[in-house]
Amino acid sequence: MRETQPQRRGLGIAALVLGIAGLLTLLLCGIGVILAIVGLVIGIVAVVQRNGRGMAVAGIVLSAVTLIIAIVFAVWFYGRIEPCADRTRYPTKADRDRCLQERVPFLKPRPTP
């Protein structure tokens, strides 16, 4: 009789969990980017080793989507704040702060109760 080896899926599961966690935590100070990079690496290793291949591919896709969203947001954000760094147009820090508040909606100060 021939015994079948149990299928190893640990790396595939890890890649999938990291892909989901990266997508969900992207807005928490960029933590999602770190998780997505780790998930991408683990997912690639899992595919190469045939270790939970289906879940690994799903983790790779989710990690890649997370990284694409992060890059698009970073480009948008830089495009919004870059003009405020022009010291000839905004010579004082107060002028630059006002520019940032006008150009980036979530940087507006909120009144304290």
Side-chain angles (χ1 to χ4, degrees):
M1 281 191 178
R2 184 175 179 200
E3 290 185 33
T4 58
Q5 291 181 350
Q7 201 175 21
R8 298 179 333 174
R9 299 183 305 188
L11 288 176
I13 292 170
L16 181 60
V17 168
L18 287 168
I20 293 169
L23 195 56
L24 294 177
T25 60
L26 183 60
L27 296 178
L28 297 175
C29 300
I31 293 171
V33 172
I34 296 167
L35 294 175
I37 292 170
V38 173
L40 193 63
V41 170
I42 290 176
I44 291 169
V45 170
V47 167
V48 169
Q49 292 182 357
R50 298 183 183 273
N51 189 321
R53 192 172 188 164
M55 290 182 277
V57 170
I60 289 170
V61 169
L62 289 171
S63 295
V65 167
T66 302
L67 291 174
I68 289 169
I69 291 170
I71 290 168
V72 167
F73 177 76
V75 168
W76 172 82
F77 187 74
Y78 180 75
R80 296 297 295 172
I81 66 168
E82 191 271 330
C84 297
D86 182 4
R87 290 187 182 263
T88 59
R89 192 168 176 193
Y90 304 103
T92 67
K93 181 174 178 353
D95 291 335
R96 291 188 295 278
D97 289 344
R98 196 172 320 106
C99 173
L100 287 172
Q101 291 169 5
E102 291 170 2
R103 297 187 59 82
V104 183
F106 52 86
L107 290 180
K108 291 184 181 181
R110 296 183 184 122
T112 55

